[in-house]
């Protein structure tokens, strides 16, 4: 297992060696900041809710995005991070980072999990917009590796947690609240 963790550290160093440049630093900091506190994704959910003032379908779509983010926050930030309590890579590897040091644990990546939760919800609503959201979610996950604040398994686990959180939210809305596909306009994934 120690060898596996060593390989993750080497992969992070390789990413910096291959991709690092002053321009790329700025791009990755910007991309990562899009998911700070989930604000971009929360904003999308709120906009969809507000669009629903005149039509119920948009409100339900916004509810799906926000509920996905809420489920994700509970699973990722309240359950898994404290349970696993994994140290950040910059604390273990001792390298400099381009963003401020973070006060929470590394596993799983909250930026990545929130992004994949929202992207999965958006994909369930509209596949074209969802595909774009998945691309952005993947870029956000990569930015967390580039910036050295997460290990690869943190990002991978974040993506899985986010997808599962969104699927749980979708199931809840479809079954417990008796919304069906025509009310939510959700595509099955």
């Amino acid at each position: 297992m120690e060898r596996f963790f060593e390989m993750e550290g080497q992969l992070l160093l390789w990413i910096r060696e291959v991709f690092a440049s002053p321009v790329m630093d700025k791009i990755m900091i910007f991309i990562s900041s899009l998911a700070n506190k989930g604000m971009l994704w929360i904003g999308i959910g709120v906009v969809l809710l507000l669009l629903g003032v005149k039509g119920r379908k948009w409100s339900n779509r916004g509810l799906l995005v926000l509920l996905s983010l809420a489920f994700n926050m509970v699973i990722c930030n309240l359950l898994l991070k404290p349970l696993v309590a994994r140290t950040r890579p910059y604390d273990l590897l001792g390298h400099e980072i381009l963003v401020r040091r973070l006060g929470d644990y590394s596993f799983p990546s909250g930026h990545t999990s929130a992004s994949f939760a929202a992207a999965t919800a958006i994909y369930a609503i509209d596949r074209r917009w969802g595909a774009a959201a998945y691309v952005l979610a993947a870029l956000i996950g990569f930015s967390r590796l580039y910036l050295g604040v997460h290990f690869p398994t943190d990002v991978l686990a974040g993506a899985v947690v986010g997808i599962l959180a969104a699927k749980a939210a979708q199931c809840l809305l479809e079954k417990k609240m008796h919304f069906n596909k025509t009310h939510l306009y959700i595509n099955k994934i």
Side-chain angles (χ1 to χ4, degrees):
M1 194 65 154
E2 187 176 317
R3 177 73 179 130
F4 177 75
F5 292 130
E6 188 177 304
M7 287 173 40
E8 281 198 295
Q10 290 173 350
L11 179 58
L12 288 179
L13 295 174
W14 178 83
I15 288 170
R16 288 292 300 161
E17 286 175 15
V18 170
F19 295 102
S21 74
V23 171
M24 190 68 150
D25 290 352
K26 289 179 179 160
I27 291 169
M28 290 293 111
I29 290 169
F30 172 74
I31 289 172
S32 182
S33 73
L34 292 174
N36 286 351
K37 300 186 189 299
M39 295 310 290
L40 169 69
W41 306 115
I42 292 168
I44 290 170
V46 168
V47 166
L48 291 173
L49 274 175
L50 293 175
L51 288 173
V53 171
K54 294 193 179 195
R56 185 175 180 164
K57 68 179 179 178
W58 288 105
S59 182
N60 292 339
R61 292 172 177 182
L63 183 60
L64 176 61
V65 172
L66 295 174
L67 190 60
S68 297
L69 290 168
F71 280 12
N72 178 73
M73 185 205 54
V74 169
I75 297 166
C76 178
N77 294 27
L78 300 180
L79 296 175
L80 290 176
K81 279 188 184 264
L83 181 68
V84 176
R86 187 177 195 188
T87 304
R88 296 263 176 192
Y90 52 78
D91 288 329
L92 290 176
L93 302 175
H95 59 51
E96 293 298 316
I97 58 172
L98 301 171
V99 294
R100 67 174 177 77
R101 297 176 91 68
L102 302 167
D104 63 347
Y105 294 112
S106 183
F107 183 92
S109 168
H111 280 66
T112 306
S113 64
S115 298
F116 274 88
T120 301
I122 293 167
Y123 187 84
I125 295 164
D126 182 282
R127 290 179 189 236
R128 286 175 299 166
W129 285 104
Y134 273 131
V135 169
L136 181 55
L139 286 171
I140 288 168
F142 178 77
S143 76
R144 305 307 282 169
L145 298 173
Y146 180 92
L147 296 172
V149 295
H150 285 291
F151 289 104
T153 51
D154 300 340
V155 170
L156 180 62
V160 170
V161 167
I163 291 166
L164 293 175
K167 296 305 283 177
Q170 183 178 347
C171 285
L172 178 71
L173 287 177
E174 287 177 350
K175 293 178 182 164
K176 297 294 182 191
M177 297 178 72
H178 303 291
F179 288 131
N180 62 29
K181 188 174 179 176
T182 59
H183 287 109
L184 279 172
Y185 294 96
I186 293 177
N187 299 311
K188 293 290 182 191
I189 297 176

